[in-house]
Amino acid sequence: MTEKRKVRIVEGVVAKAKAVEAEATTSVQVSIIESDALLEIECRHKEGLLLDVMQMLREVRIEVIGVQSSLNNGVFVAELRAKVKEHANGKKVSIVEVKRALNQIIPHAVD
């Protein structure tokens, strides 16, 4: 994760120290083994991002079966588990194709 928080216990009360806001890094990891896919995304948040990702996956015949996502200090993190389906020609989408499509959707850090 790009953010670290310090937690102190003071007389039974949890006090959170202000987190140092770190630069949001962009990370896209895609693993496909046979018909099982795991996608891990970390990037700056933008409105509707998760929906955009899921629609793009549907277009390339990847059926999302599980999603775990969070948004913290403007950083969006998601893990999607999915099944890869064959296209009409019998071929399946490749890792490179999925990464390319995801990178067109997700916001990238501005230097």
Side-chain angles (χ1 to χ4, degrees):
M1 294 286 167
T2 59
E3 175 186 299
K4 295 182 181 174
R5 288 185 178 252
K6 295 179 182 176
V7 178
R8 273 183 274 146
I9 307 231
V10 182
E11 295 177 1
V13 177
V14 178
K16 293 182 182 176
K18 185 174 179 180
V20 177
E21 195 168 322
E23 280 292 318
T25 58
T26 300
S27 172
V28 176
Q29 301 293 322
V30 178
S31 303
I32 298 175
I33 299 172
E34 294 180 11
S35 64
D36 295 322
L38 173 64
L39 298 91
E40 297 170 298
I41 302 167
E42 181 176 336
C43 63
R44 277 188 304 111
H45 174 258
K46 84 171 183 186
E47 190 69 32
L49 180 59
L50 184 57
L51 178 59
D52 292 344
V53 167
M54 292 180 72
Q55 286 176 330
M56 181 279 301
L57 292 172
R58 185 176 182 195
E59 289 170 12
V60 297
R61 302 212 23 97
I62 294 180
E63 179 185 358
V64 176
I65 59 172
V67 177
Q68 188 170 4
S69 67
S70 64
L71 177 61
N72 198 352
N73 274 358
V75 178
F76 172 78
V77 178
E79 178 182 285
L80 296 94
R81 296 191 179 275
K83 293 289 183 185
V84 182
K85 296 181 173 184
E86 291 182 353
H87 289 277
N89 62 8
K91 291 187 178 179
K92 292 181 181 178
V93 68
S94 72
I95 290 173
V96 172
E97 292 168 323
V98 174
K99 277 187 156 185
R100 187 178 299 129
L102 284 171
N103 278 311
Q104 290 175 358
I105 294 172
I106 64 171
H108 293 273
V110 179
D111 294 329

